[in-house]
Each structure stands twice: as structure tokens, then as C-alpha cells.
Amino acid sequence: MRIAVFGTGYLGATHAACMAELGHEVLGVDIDESKLEKLSSGEVPFYEPGLSEVLTRNVESGRLRFTSSYSEAAEFAEAHFIAVGTPQRKGEYGADVSFVDAVVDTLVPRLNRSAVIFGKSTVPVGTATRLSELARSLALPGVEVEISWNPEFLREGFAVQDTLHPDRIVLGVGPQASDAVQYAKEIYASLLGDGVPFLVTDLATAELVKASANAFLATKISFINAIAEVCDAAGADVTVLADAIGYDERIGRKFLNAGVGFGGGCLPKDIRAFMARAGELGADEALTFLREVDAINMRRRIRMVEMAREACGGSLLGSRVAVLGAAFKPNSDDVRDSPALNVAGQIQLQGAAVTVFDPKAMENSRVLFPTLNYATSIEDACAGADVLLVLTEWSEFRRIDPASLASVVRRKVIIDGRNCLDVATWVDGGWKYRGMGRAR
Ligand code: NAD
């Protein structure tokens, strides 16, 4: 198939490269020329394990190209994927879908033969139906443009694996006879051959599947973080508790790691957009619990700042704080709404000198928080520190030998904001260890 992918960020670049890997001819389209230049030369503009190899292989084979020309894409492809951003609107909860609208506005009048547009971006329910009407009004006479929704569930850090081996493929189609199902079956033929479940739904259900999946994951994280607050108050250990309840298959252990909470370019804005949309539909009561999920999550950041202040003797003024981790999660350089950077920023505002180290997210962090200090290594970040905070669970940090930092820091105090370290190793090494929601 000849495929165009509009938006070549974390989602779009991965999707474009993986569709080429499946044997399709793919054109990635973006408005950011510098991004296109990098991608065209086989360079991934962000960190995603394994993507570089897939990109290079397919750019070199000629199956994958990039352009800023919508006309070229309209001429080239029969299937078009929308993968542009849908950020939170400034000062509101709702999603800004103007980038998605812009793709349809720009692409559809340029199509001179019938085509299917697959939305992959996460959008408020009702968007696809609205876009179907918009496409109908913009299409040239005799040209049929079908809008379908094919939400994406990939996880940054596992994006290639998740795209080539998804848990399921969901496709929402409109009430009229659909070409989208046939196109999708061709595009994803090898995945369907591997037995990946394929669910064809109406448009609204497909949009809601994605919103609900993210709302559930966010709720699971905030649930365990709320329990961590109680564990803190009662002197219990939330990590043992999570292990114990996680053995119950109905509960499961995944996403039950208490810590500084969730962040990134998806969960926070998606639960807010979901609440906003439910309100517009008159179903706001149904999702008021997500307000609490959000509030619990934001409290974790405040709690971490408090713990750092306590560790510095009650005031952060004049203290030195080492922060290990800046990305919102390991194996990513994404710092959008990152709890780690947010905490680092708050601590600095309270008068501490904060030095941050992250294996991959330094460049993005500098752009977002230029006033923090950035170190070139773990040791460098910890030099003279009164307290060391681990805020992203990179395996590099889990493997740190406490002895290697003992003579570097001013005080041997560590706060494990992800409950990811081996407590005994640090305590035996003479460190004062504190986790989140743990008795010690
Ligand atoms: P991103 O910001 O990394 O990428 C968006 C890209 O779209 C940018 O490169 C931008 O330049 C480009 N763009 C903006 N306007 C454009 C236009 N008119 N034409 C062409 N390109 C344009 O965002 P992302 O993280 O890739 O997310 C994209 C969407 O996918 C969002 O709706 C997000 O919620 C959803 N999603 C993301 C992930 C993830 O892990 N990142 C997972 C599932 C779903």
C-alpha cells in the first residue's frame, strides 16, 4: 500500500517507519523542516529504542521518504494516517484538535481520487464524525474521502515493539459502507496473520476505547499512590502491599508502582480532555473521579518536594539537591509534563541548587527548564549533594553502587521517588534511604 503519515513526532515517525518495515511504501509529512531533514537522513529526532535501525533500513531501501508537501502526499498515497499532536488547550481541560483539523483542511482539497483517512491521534469522542462532514464539504466532486479512527496504544520506550506487535487493532468506521476495513486488513495483513485481535467498531466507540484505556491506567497509578499516602501515615510498606494485591489476577501487579506519579505527553492531558468532553456531552458526573485521579497524581510531586525539604533539615534554602532522572519515564527522552523536572523546578524555586542528570533527556530538559544545572554523569550530579533524588527509574540508576557515590555527596541521603532501588543495598552502604509510601 502507498501510505502517508501526517505528523512525524513520537507516534508518527514510529508509525511511518514501522509501516515501511511491513513492506508498504510510506511518505512521512510534517511542517517541521528540521525534523524532516533529520528523518530523511535516517536520524530519529528523539530517543526511542530500536527505532533508528528500522528508520535507517527503510530510508535506505527507498520505501520510506519524508516531505512537507501535502500535494505530494495527496498524489502519492491511497491511505492517509493522521498522527499530529492533540495537546491540552491553554488554560482549559479540553484538547486542542486544531492540528488534526489542519491536516483534513489541507489534505482533502488536494485529493483527486478517493482515499481513506485513518486518525491515529487521540481525540475527543465525536471528532471523527465532525471530520467526516468536514471532509465531505472539502472533497472535490466525485472524490470520496472516508474518515475512520484507528487509535494508537504504543508506549514510548517500546514504540517499535508495540507498533509491530500490538495487543489489538481497533478501527472505528462510519455508518456508510466502508473501504477502511479492507484497507486496514491490507495494511496490517501480517499482524492480523499473527493473530492480533482486530475490533471494528463505530467511530465514537473507537475514540472512547483510547480515552478509556488511558483513564484506566491513570486511575490504577493514582489508586496505588493514594494507598501510598495511607501507608505513609500508618507506617506500612506500599511496595509489599502492591506485590500482595497484585497476585490477584483480577488486580494484577502492573501499573501498581507507587512513586512521584504519571506524566508525559499523554495520560495527564488525555484524562483532562476526557473529563471536558464528558462535560460537553452532559455526562460530567460520570468522570468526576478523574479529577481526584489528577489531584492525587499532582500531590505526589508536592510530597516529593516536602520529603526533600525534610531531608535537608526543614529548609531547601542553600541546599544542594541532586536529581537523577528528567524524562517522564525510562527509555524515553520525553520531558512533557515530567514529574521529575517539575519536582526539580519546584525545589529550585525554594532556594536549593538543583543539578539534574538523565541518560537521554538532557537536551529536551534544557529547553524546558533552562535555569536548572545539568550534569554530564551521575557522579557529577551528586557532587556535594545534601540529598539525592531518583525520579525516573532508568536501569542505570537502579544499578548504582552506593559506595561509588559515598565520597562524592555531602550527606548520604537518598529519596527513591520511584521505589525502584534495592533498599538493603543502600542501607547496608550506610545511606539514609526513604521511599514513597514505605515504612523506612
Ligand atoms: P508530537 O508532538 O511528538 O508530534 C506531533 C507532530 O505533528 C510534530 O512533529 C509536529 O510538527 C507535527 N505537525 C503539527 N501540525 C502538523 C500539520 N498540520 N501537518 C503535519 N504535521 C504537523 O506528538 P506525539 O507524541 O507523536 O502525539 C501525537 C498524537 O498521538 C497525540 O494525539 C497523542 O495523544 C497520540 N498518542 C501519542 C502516543 C505517544 O506515546 N507519544 C501514544 C499514543 C497516542
Side-chain angles (χ1 to χ4, degrees), residues 221-222 224-230 232 238 257-262 293-307 339 342-343 346 391 416-419 435-438:
I221 298 170
S222 277
I224 202 64
N225 278 330
I227 300 297
E229 288 184 18
V230 181
D232 260 339
V238 74
N257 292 325
V260 282
F262 59 80
V293 165
D294 205 358
I296 293 165
N297 191 52
M298 296 317 261
R299 270 208 304 275
R300 302 310 286 164
R301 303 177 183 188
I302 297 166
R303 176 80 191 120
M304 175 49 74
V305 176
E306 276 168 6
M307 288 169 74
N342 184 297
V343 165
Q346 287 189 51
L391 300 183
D416 183 359
R418 295 290 181 181
N419 290 341
M436 297 194 85
R438 305 182 95 168

mmCIF file of all heavy atoms in Angstrom, residues 221-222 224-230 232 238 257-262 293-307 339 342-343 346 391 416-419 435-438:
data_model
loop_
_atom_site.group_PDB
_atom_site.id
_atom_site.type_symbol
_atom_site.label_atom_id
_atom_site.label_comp_id
_atom_site.label_asym_id
_atom_site.label_seq_id
_atom_site.Cartn_x
_atom_site.Cartn_y
_atom_site.Cartn_z
ATOM 1 N N ILE A 221 -2.625 3.961 38.607
ATOM 2 C CA ILE A 221 -1.441 4.580 39.220
ATOM 3 C C ILE A 221 -1.861 5.444 40.406
ATOM 4 O O ILE A 221 -1.252 5.386 41.483
ATOM 5 C CB ILE A 221 -0.662 5.427 38.195
ATOM 6 C CG1 ILE A 221 -0.139 4.550 37.050
ATOM 7 C CG2 ILE A 221 0.506 6.156 38.864
ATOM 8 C CD1 ILE A 221 0.430 5.334 35.875
ATOM 9 N N SER A 222 -2.907 6.240 40.219
ATOM 10 C CA SER A 222 -3.323 7.102 41.337
ATOM 11 C C SER A 222 -3.904 6.286 42.481
ATOM 12 O O SER A 222 -3.788 6.678 43.651
ATOM 13 C CB SER A 222 -4.313 8.177 40.867
ATOM 14 O OG SER A 222 -3.591 9.254 40.310
ATOM 15 N N ILE A 224 -2.795 3.372 43.585
ATOM 16 C CA ILE A 224 -1.701 2.888 44.440
ATOM 17 C C ILE A 224 -1.003 4.066 45.122
ATOM 18 O O ILE A 224 -0.508 3.940 46.240
ATOM 19 C CB ILE A 224 -0.705 1.979 43.664
ATOM 20 C CG1 ILE A 224 0.078 1.082 44.640
ATOM 21 C CG2 ILE A 224 0.249 2.771 42.793
ATOM 22 C CD1 ILE A 224 -0.739 0.086 45.398
ATOM 23 N N ASN A 225 -0.985 5.229 44.469
ATOM 24 C CA ASN A 225 -0.382 6.395 45.109
ATOM 25 C C ASN A 225 -1.232 6.904 46.276
ATOM 26 O O ASN A 225 -0.690 7.396 47.274
ATOM 27 C CB ASN A 225 -0.131 7.494 44.079
ATOM 28 C CG ASN A 225 1.165 7.245 43.322
ATOM 29 O OD1 ASN A 225 2.106 6.659 43.862
ATOM 30 N ND2 ASN A 225 1.226 7.672 42.068
ATOM 31 N N ALA A 226 -2.552 6.764 46.157
ATOM 32 C CA ALA A 226 -3.414 7.120 47.289
ATOM 33 C C ALA A 226 -3.164 6.157 48.444
ATOM 34 O O ALA A 226 -3.056 6.553 49.616
ATOM 35 C CB ALA A 226 -4.880 7.080 46.860
ATOM 36 N N ILE A 227 -3.026 4.873 48.104
ATOM 37 C CA ILE A 227 -2.733 3.874 49.147
ATOM 38 C C ILE A 227 -1.356 4.164 49.762
ATOM 39 O O ILE A 227 -1.163 3.985 50.969
ATOM 40 C CB ILE A 227 -2.782 2.443 48.559
ATOM 41 C CG1 ILE A 227 -4.176 2.133 47.985
ATOM 42 C CG2 ILE A 227 -2.379 1.393 49.593
ATOM 43 C CD1 ILE A 227 -5.305 2.145 48.976
ATOM 44 N N ALA A 228 -0.434 4.663 48.939
ATOM 45 C CA ALA A 228 0.896 5.008 49.465
ATOM 46 C C ALA A 228 0.793 6.111 50.512
ATOM 47 O O ALA A 228 1.517 6.103 51.511
ATOM 48 C CB ALA A 228 1.816 5.454 48.318
ATOM 49 N N GLU A 229 -0.116 7.045 50.293
ATOM 50 C CA GLU A 229 -0.304 8.115 51.283
ATOM 51 C C GLU A 229 -0.753 7.515 52.616
ATOM 52 O O GLU A 229 -0.289 7.908 53.680
ATOM 53 C CB GLU A 229 -1.367 9.117 50.801
ATOM 54 C CG GLU A 229 -0.903 9.999 49.647
ATOM 55 C CD GLU A 229 -1.947 11.048 49.245
ATOM 56 O OE1 GLU A 229 -2.865 11.338 50.037
ATOM 57 O OE2 GLU A 229 -1.835 11.575 48.113
ATOM 58 N N VAL A 230 -1.673 6.536 52.525
ATOM 59 C CA VAL A 230 -2.160 5.898 53.752
ATOM 60 C C VAL A 230 -1.039 5.077 54.390
ATOM 61 O O VAL A 230 -0.864 5.070 55.613
ATOM 62 C CB VAL A 230 -3.400 5.009 53.465
ATOM 63 C CG1 VAL A 230 -3.921 4.379 54.752
ATOM 64 C CG2 VAL A 230 -4.495 5.820 52.779
ATOM 65 N N ASP A 232 2.109 5.687 54.252
ATOM 66 C CA ASP A 232 2.990 6.648 54.917
ATOM 67 C C ASP A 232 2.447 7.020 56.291
ATOM 68 O O ASP A 232 3.173 7.051 57.285
ATOM 69 C CB ASP A 232 3.086 7.933 54.063
ATOM 70 C CG ASP A 232 4.361 7.971 53.237
ATOM 71 O OD1 ASP A 232 5.313 7.254 53.599
ATOM 72 O OD2 ASP A 232 4.391 8.707 52.230
ATOM 73 N N VAL A 238 4.040 0.209 50.928
ATOM 74 C CA VAL A 238 3.163 0.072 49.767
ATOM 75 C C VAL A 238 3.723 -0.889 48.716
ATOM 76 O O VAL A 238 2.959 -1.474 47.946
ATOM 77 C CB VAL A 238 2.876 1.462 49.139
ATOM 78 C CG1 VAL A 238 4.085 1.998 48.366
ATOM 79 C CG2 VAL A 238 1.663 1.419 48.212
ATOM 80 N N ASN A 257 3.052 0.618 40.782
ATOM 81 C CA ASN A 257 4.267 1.095 41.432
ATOM 82 C C ASN A 257 4.034 2.518 41.946
ATOM 83 O O ASN A 257 3.896 3.445 41.160
ATOM 84 C CB ASN A 257 5.443 1.091 40.454
ATOM 85 C CG ASN A 257 5.836 -0.328 40.072
ATOM 86 O OD1 ASN A 257 5.753 -1.243 40.901
ATOM 87 N ND2 ASN A 257 6.241 -0.520 38.841
ATOM 88 N N ALA A 258 3.994 2.629 43.262
ATOM 89 C CA ALA A 258 3.793 3.964 43.843
ATOM 90 C C ALA A 258 5.055 4.798 43.645
ATOM 91 O O ALA A 258 6.155 4.258 43.569
ATOM 92 C CB ALA A 258 3.474 3.822 45.330
ATOM 93 N N GLY A 259 4.890 6.078 43.543
ATOM 94 C CA GLY A 259 6.042 6.959 43.344
ATOM 95 C C GLY A 259 5.600 8.385 43.085
ATOM 96 O O GLY A 259 4.556 8.810 43.603
ATOM 97 N N VAL A 260 6.369 9.098 42.265
ATOM 98 C CA VAL A 260 6.022 10.504 42.006
ATOM 99 C C VAL A 260 4.927 10.666 40.943
ATOM 100 O O VAL A 260 4.590 11.782 40.566
ATOM 101 C CB VAL A 260 7.242 11.376 41.618
ATOM 102 C CG1 VAL A 260 8.057 11.755 42.822
ATOM 103 C CG2 VAL A 260 8.084 10.726 40.550
ATOM 104 N N GLY A 261 4.392 9.552 40.473
ATOM 105 C CA GLY A 261 3.194 9.648 39.647
ATOM 106 C C GLY A 261 3.460 9.710 38.157
ATOM 107 O O GLY A 261 4.592 9.668 37.697
ATOM 108 N N PHE A 262 2.352 9.822 37.414
ATOM 109 C CA PHE A 262 2.464 9.789 35.954
ATOM 110 C C PHE A 262 2.642 11.181 35.370
ATOM 111 O O PHE A 262 2.328 12.187 36.001
ATOM 112 C CB PHE A 262 1.265 9.073 35.326
ATOM 113 C CG PHE A 262 -0.095 9.680 35.635
ATOM 114 C CD1 PHE A 262 -0.552 10.790 34.949
ATOM 115 C CD2 PHE A 262 -0.917 9.123 36.615
ATOM 116 C CE1 PHE A 262 -1.806 11.338 35.212
ATOM 117 C CE2 PHE A 262 -2.171 9.670 36.895
ATOM 118 C CZ PHE A 262 -2.615 10.774 36.195
ATOM 119 N N VAL A 293 -8.234 11.530 40.519
ATOM 120 C CA VAL A 293 -7.063 10.817 39.977
ATOM 121 C C VAL A 293 -5.963 11.834 39.647
ATOM 122 O O VAL A 293 -4.789 11.654 39.996
ATOM 123 C CB VAL A 293 -7.475 10.028 38.697
ATOM 124 C CG1 VAL A 293 -6.260 9.572 37.905
ATOM 125 C CG2 VAL A 293 -8.351 8.831 39.088
ATOM 126 N N ASP A 294 -6.355 12.932 39.023
ATOM 127 C CA ASP A 294 -5.424 14.000 38.659
ATOM 128 C C ASP A 294 -4.848 14.651 39.927
ATOM 129 O O ASP A 294 -3.634 14.889 40.035
ATOM 130 C CB ASP A 294 -6.204 15.044 37.831
ATOM 131 C CG ASP A 294 -5.323 15.857 36.909
ATOM 132 O OD1 ASP A 294 -4.089 15.656 36.929
ATOM 133 O OD2 ASP A 294 -5.854 16.710 36.173
ATOM 134 N N ALA A 295 -5.728 14.918 40.895
ATOM 135 C CA ALA A 295 -5.293 15.606 42.122
ATOM 136 C C ALA A 295 -4.311 14.736 42.918
ATOM 137 O O ALA A 295 -3.295 15.221 43.416
ATOM 138 C CB ALA A 295 -6.507 15.954 42.985
ATOM 139 N N ILE A 296 -4.618 13.435 43.028
ATOM 140 C CA ILE A 296 -3.709 12.511 43.736
ATOM 141 C C ILE A 296 -2.349 12.550 43.046
ATOM 142 O O ILE A 296 -1.298 12.641 43.687
ATOM 143 C CB ILE A 296 -4.257 11.063 43.720
ATOM 144 C CG1 ILE A 296 -5.532 10.947 44.553
ATOM 145 C CG2 ILE A 296 -3.196 10.074 44.229
ATOM 146 C CD1 ILE A 296 -6.323 9.656 44.302
ATOM 147 N N ASN A 297 -2.379 12.528 41.717
ATOM 148 C CA ASN A 297 -1.130 12.499 40.947
ATOM 149 C C ASN A 297 -0.300 13.759 41.198
ATOM 150 O O ASN A 297 0.911 13.685 41.400
ATOM 151 C CB ASN A 297 -1.462 12.345 39.462
ATOM 152 C CG ASN A 297 -0.243 12.031 38.636
ATOM 153 O OD1 ASN A 297 0.488 11.094 38.953
ATOM 154 N ND2 ASN A 297 0.012 12.815 37.613
ATOM 155 N N MET A 298 -0.945 14.908 41.186
ATOM 156 C CA MET A 298 -0.199 16.155 41.378
ATOM 157 C C MET A 298 0.326 16.264 42.812
ATOM 158 O O MET A 298 1.385 16.836 43.055
ATOM 159 C CB MET A 298 -1.078 17.371 41.031
ATOM 160 C CG MET A 298 -1.495 17.424 39.573
ATOM 161 S SD MET A 298 -0.175 17.027 38.411
ATOM 162 C CE MET A 298 0.345 18.634 37.925
ATOM 163 N N ARG A 299 -0.413 15.683 43.777
ATOM 164 C CA ARG A 299 0.039 15.693 45.184
ATOM 165 C C ARG A 299 1.357 14.947 45.369
ATOM 166 O O ARG A 299 2.123 15.241 46.269
ATOM 167 C CB ARG A 299 -1.011 15.030 46.077
ATOM 168 C CG ARG A 299 -2.051 15.931 46.624
ATOM 169 C CD ARG A 299 -2.634 15.491 47.945
ATOM 170 N NE ARG A 299 -3.213 14.160 48.011
ATOM 171 C CZ ARG A 299 -4.467 13.849 47.663
ATOM 172 N NH1 ARG A 299 -5.293 14.773 47.194
ATOM 173 N NH2 ARG A 299 -4.921 12.619 47.794
ATOM 174 N N ARG A 300 1.604 13.964 44.494
ATOM 175 C CA ARG A 300 2.847 13.186 44.636
ATOM 176 C C ARG A 300 4.065 14.079 44.434
ATOM 177 O O ARG A 300 5.095 13.885 45.068
ATOM 178 C CB ARG A 300 2.917 12.045 43.610
ATOM 179 C CG ARG A 300 1.784 11.082 43.665
ATOM 180 C CD ARG A 300 1.545 10.589 45.050
ATOM 181 N NE ARG A 300 2.549 9.624 45.488
ATOM 182 C CZ ARG A 300 2.744 9.278 46.754
ATOM 183 N NH1 ARG A 300 2.021 9.840 47.706
ATOM 184 N NH2 ARG A 300 3.661 8.390 47.077
ATOM 185 N N ARG A 301 3.935 15.033 43.523
ATOM 186 C CA ARG A 301 5.066 15.925 43.246
ATOM 187 C C ARG A 301 5.318 16.811 44.468
ATOM 188 O O ARG A 301 6.461 17.025 44.871
ATOM 189 C CB ARG A 301 4.753 16.771 42.005
ATOM 190 C CG ARG A 301 4.449 15.898 40.789
ATOM 191 C CD ARG A 301 4.072 16.717 39.562
ATOM 192 N NE ARG A 301 3.714 15.809 38.450
ATOM 193 C CZ ARG A 301 3.494 16.183 37.211
ATOM 194 N NH1 ARG A 301 3.594 17.475 36.879
ATOM 195 N NH2 ARG A 301 3.190 15.316 36.280
ATOM 196 N N ILE A 302 4.207 17.306 45.048
ATOM 197 C CA ILE A 302 4.334 18.167 46.236
ATOM 198 C C ILE A 302 4.961 17.367 47.378
ATOM 199 O O ILE A 302 5.833 17.841 48.093
ATOM 200 C CB ILE A 302 2.941 18.716 46.642
ATOM 201 C CG1 ILE A 302 2.403 19.600 45.517
ATOM 202 C CG2 ILE A 302 3.003 19.460 47.965
ATOM 203 C CD1 ILE A 302 0.917 19.930 45.627
ATOM 204 N N ARG A 303 4.486 16.117 47.512
ATOM 205 C CA ARG A 303 5.007 15.242 48.580
ATOM 206 C C ARG A 303 6.519 15.051 48.426
ATOM 207 O O ARG A 303 7.256 15.078 49.409
ATOM 208 C CB ARG A 303 4.279 13.892 48.497
ATOM 209 C CG ARG A 303 4.775 12.853 49.462
ATOM 210 C CD ARG A 303 4.200 13.062 50.866
ATOM 211 N NE ARG A 303 4.883 12.216 51.833
ATOM 212 C CZ ARG A 303 5.559 12.665 52.892
ATOM 213 N NH1 ARG A 303 5.639 13.957 53.141
ATOM 214 N NH2 ARG A 303 6.148 11.827 53.715
ATOM 215 N N MET A 304 6.970 14.871 47.206
ATOM 216 C CA MET A 304 8.404 14.661 46.968
ATOM 217 C C MET A 304 9.199 15.907 47.352
ATOM 218 O O MET A 304 10.272 15.805 47.958
ATOM 219 C CB MET A 304 8.635 14.296 45.493
ATOM 220 C CG MET A 304 10.071 14.169 45.072
ATOM 221 S SD MET A 304 11.109 13.144 46.136
ATOM 222 C CE MET A 304 10.556 11.520 45.708
ATOM 223 N N VAL A 305 8.663 17.079 47.041
ATOM 224 C CA VAL A 305 9.346 18.326 47.420
ATOM 225 C C VAL A 305 9.428 18.419 48.947
ATOM 226 O O VAL A 305 10.471 18.755 49.508
ATOM 227 C CB VAL A 305 8.615 19.559 46.823
ATOM 228 C CG1 VAL A 305 9.271 20.856 47.290
ATOM 229 C CG2 VAL A 305 8.595 19.482 45.297
ATOM 230 N N GLU A 306 8.320 18.055 49.624
ATOM 231 C CA GLU A 306 8.306 18.068 51.103
ATOM 232 C C GLU A 306 9.361 17.114 51.655
ATOM 233 O O GLU A 306 10.087 17.448 52.598
ATOM 234 C CB GLU A 306 6.947 17.594 51.633
ATOM 235 C CG GLU A 306 5.900 18.665 51.692
ATOM 236 C CD GLU A 306 4.511 18.058 51.947
ATOM 237 O OE1 GLU A 306 4.411 16.829 52.189
ATOM 238 O OE2 GLU A 306 3.541 18.821 51.867
ATOM 239 N N MET A 307 9.430 15.918 51.068
ATOM 240 C CA MET A 307 10.402 14.921 51.557
ATOM 241 C C MET A 307 11.827 15.440 51.369
ATOM 242 O O MET A 307 12.688 15.243 52.236
ATOM 243 C CB MET A 307 10.212 13.584 50.827
ATOM 244 C CG MET A 307 8.949 12.854 51.263
ATOM 245 S SD MET A 307 8.558 11.458 50.183
ATOM 246 C CE MET A 307 9.793 10.272 50.698
ATOM 247 N N PRO A 339 7.114 14.516 35.863
ATOM 248 C CA PRO A 339 7.155 14.742 37.310
ATOM 249 C C PRO A 339 8.569 15.087 37.785
ATOM 250 O O PRO A 339 8.739 15.952 38.648
ATOM 251 C CB PRO A 339 6.695 13.412 37.896
ATOM 252 C CG PRO A 339 5.928 12.742 36.804
ATOM 253 C CD PRO A 339 6.544 13.204 35.517
ATOM 254 N N ASN A 342 9.421 18.674 36.968
ATOM 255 C CA ASN A 342 8.521 19.529 37.732
ATOM 256 C C ASN A 342 8.996 19.642 39.187
ATOM 257 O O ASN A 342 9.071 20.736 39.752
ATOM 258 C CB ASN A 342 7.108 18.926 37.634
ATOM 259 C CG ASN A 342 6.065 19.769 38.296
ATOM 260 O OD1 ASN A 342 6.121 19.958 39.503
ATOM 261 N ND2 ASN A 342 5.116 20.261 37.530
ATOM 262 N N VAL A 343 9.366 18.493 39.766
ATOM 263 C CA VAL A 343 9.875 18.477 41.150
ATOM 264 C C VAL A 343 11.189 19.262 41.220
ATOM 265 O O VAL A 343 11.394 20.089 42.120
ATOM 266 C CB VAL A 343 10.072 17.018 41.633
ATOM 267 C CG1 VAL A 343 10.929 16.960 42.882
ATOM 268 C CG2 VAL A 343 8.724 16.350 41.860
ATOM 269 N N GLN A 346 10.437 22.935 41.203
ATOM 270 C CA GLN A 346 9.848 23.421 42.459
ATOM 271 C C GLN A 346 10.913 23.542 43.550
ATOM 272 O O GLN A 346 10.914 24.491 44.331
ATOM 273 C CB GLN A 346 8.762 22.468 42.936
ATOM 274 C CG GLN A 346 7.483 22.503 42.128
ATOM 275 C CD GLN A 346 6.388 21.680 42.823
ATOM 276 O OE1 GLN A 346 6.117 21.854 44.005
ATOM 277 N NE2 GLN A 346 5.773 20.770 42.089
ATOM 278 N N LEU A 391 14.193 10.103 40.372
ATOM 279 C CA LEU A 391 12.826 10.460 39.966
ATOM 280 C C LEU A 391 12.385 9.800 38.659
ATOM 281 O O LEU A 391 11.230 9.918 38.268
ATOM 282 C CB LEU A 391 12.695 11.990 39.859
ATOM 283 C CG LEU A 391 12.983 12.757 41.166
ATOM 284 C CD1 LEU A 391 12.765 14.252 40.973
ATOM 285 C CD2 LEU A 391 12.111 12.254 42.312
ATOM 286 N N ASP A 416 13.976 7.727 47.075
ATOM 287 C CA ASP A 416 13.670 6.904 45.900
ATOM 288 C C ASP A 416 12.245 7.217 45.450
ATOM 289 O O ASP A 416 11.281 6.629 45.931
ATOM 290 C CB ASP A 416 13.819 5.423 46.331
ATOM 291 C CG ASP A 416 13.595 4.454 45.194
ATOM 292 O OD1 ASP A 416 13.305 4.904 44.077
ATOM 293 O OD2 ASP A 416 13.708 3.234 45.452
ATOM 294 N N GLY A 417 12.131 8.156 44.515
ATOM 295 C CA GLY A 417 10.807 8.621 44.078
ATOM 296 C C GLY A 417 10.081 7.645 43.192
ATOM 297 O O GLY A 417 8.947 7.900 42.782
ATOM 298 N N ARG A 418 10.720 6.531 42.872
ATOM 299 C CA ARG A 418 10.063 5.501 42.054
ATOM 300 C C ARG A 418 10.062 4.146 42.742
ATOM 301 O O ARG A 418 9.713 3.134 42.117
ATOM 302 C CB ARG A 418 10.768 5.383 40.695
ATOM 303 C CG ARG A 418 10.646 6.637 39.829
ATOM 304 C CD ARG A 418 9.228 6.821 39.327
ATOM 305 N NE ARG A 418 9.073 7.990 38.493
ATOM 306 C CZ ARG A 418 7.904 8.367 37.960
ATOM 307 N NH1 ARG A 418 6.810 7.690 38.204
ATOM 308 N NH2 ARG A 418 7.822 9.437 37.220
ATOM 309 N N ASN A 419 10.493 4.107 43.994
ATOM 310 C CA ASN A 419 10.583 2.827 44.729
ATOM 311 C C ASN A 419 11.228 1.753 43.862
ATOM 312 O O ASN A 419 10.768 0.611 43.803
ATOM 313 C CB ASN A 419 9.186 2.365 45.177
ATOM 314 C CG ASN A 419 8.617 3.246 46.271
ATOM 315 O OD1 ASN A 419 9.353 3.974 46.938
ATOM 316 N ND2 ASN A 419 7.319 3.197 46.459
ATOM 317 N N GLY A 435 11.740 5.784 50.712
ATOM 318 C CA GLY A 435 10.935 5.556 49.518
ATOM 319 C C GLY A 435 9.612 6.277 49.672
ATOM 320 O O GLY A 435 9.419 7.018 50.645
ATOM 321 N N MET A 436 8.713 6.076 48.731
ATOM 322 C CA MET A 436 7.407 6.743 48.832
ATOM 323 C C MET A 436 6.362 5.730 49.255
ATOM 324 O O MET A 436 6.130 4.734 48.553
ATOM 325 C CB MET A 436 7.042 7.380 47.497
ATOM 326 C CG MET A 436 8.026 8.469 47.106
ATOM 327 S SD MET A 436 7.407 9.506 45.764
ATOM 328 C CE MET A 436 6.416 10.706 46.678
ATOM 329 N N GLY A 437 5.752 5.953 50.409
ATOM 330 C CA GLY A 437 4.760 5.009 50.920
ATOM 331 C C GLY A 437 5.405 3.771 51.498
ATOM 332 O O GLY A 437 4.817 2.698 51.507
ATOM 333 N N ARG A 438 6.662 3.920 51.956
ATOM 334 C CA ARG A 438 7.374 2.792 52.554
ATOM 335 C C ARG A 438 7.741 3.159 53.985
ATOM 336 O O ARG A 438 8.071 4.294 54.278
ATOM 337 C CB ARG A 438 8.664 2.494 51.788
ATOM 338 C CG ARG A 438 8.422 2.256 50.324
ATOM 339 C CD ARG A 438 9.699 1.931 49.617
ATOM 340 N NE ARG A 438 9.863 0.498 49.528
ATOM 341 C CZ ARG A 438 10.784 -0.082 48.749
ATOM 342 N NH1 ARG A 438 11.632 0.650 48.057
ATOM 343 N NH2 ARG A 438 10.863 -1.380 48.692
#
